[in-house]
Amino acid sequence: QEQFVESGGGLVQPGGSLKLSCVASINRFSNFAMGWYRQAPGKQREWVASITVSSTTNYADFVKGRFTISRDNPKKTVYLQMNSLKAEDTAVYYCNTNGGHFSWGQGTQVTVSS
């Protein structure tokens, strides 16, 4: 069964950094564009960033210039480097294929607060 395990979240002060990891248990991982998503309390899940099979990246405007998505195909892992974090980045972060084709994992909580 396809599965995503996200990690790396935590409590960080505004302006700080975190690096999230997502290990994907899906066949032919390298054939999928992957994405990071987030869901803040009381809000719908939203797309944050994506990376294609050829490692072309795209970002939501609200993280552009601050977040970097990357992938390691042999490790079936997607990363999200988050810099210059803001309070409004507080959310549970999830990964999935770009488009969310598989079941969602537990996510990892990111809290930005002083």
Side-chain angles (χ1 to χ4, degrees):
Q1 182 177 355
E2 298 83 11
Q3 185 178 11
F4 301 102
V5 179
E6 301 90 349
S7 63
L11 173 63
V12 63
Q13 292 186 343
S17 298
L18 284 173
K19 186 173 184 177
L20 307 183
S21 300
C22 169
V23 178
S25 299
I26 58 176
N27 291 327
R28 301 179 181 177
F29 170 82
S30 60
N31 289 356
F32 288 95
M34 297 297 297
W36 280 97
Y37 306 79
R38 71 186 187 185
Q39 187 168 18
K43 295 187 177 182
Q44 290 190 335
R45 186 179 287 135
E46 61 184 354
W47 170 77
V48 174
S50 60
I51 184 166
T52 68
V53 297
S54 58
S55 293
T56 299
T57 58
N58 287 285
Y59 301 92
D61 286 345
F62 51 79
V63 303
K64 200 170 292 184
R66 300 189 297 122
F67 291 10
T68 302
I69 187 172
S70 59
R71 66 190 298 161
D72 185 333
N73 288 336
K75 293 183 178 179
K76 294 188 175 181
T77 301
V78 185
Y79 303 98
L80 187 68
Q81 176 68 46
M82 305 187 297
N83 299 328
S84 301
L85 282 161
K86 305 175 181 180
E88 51 264 43
D89 294 320
T90 295
V92 179
Y93 284 72
Y94 303 87
C95 76
N96 206 315
T97 57
N98 197 34
H101 297 107
F102 298 125
S103 299
W104 297 92
Q106 296 289 331
T108 186
Q109 175 71 49
V110 172
T111 303
V112 184
S113 175
S114 55

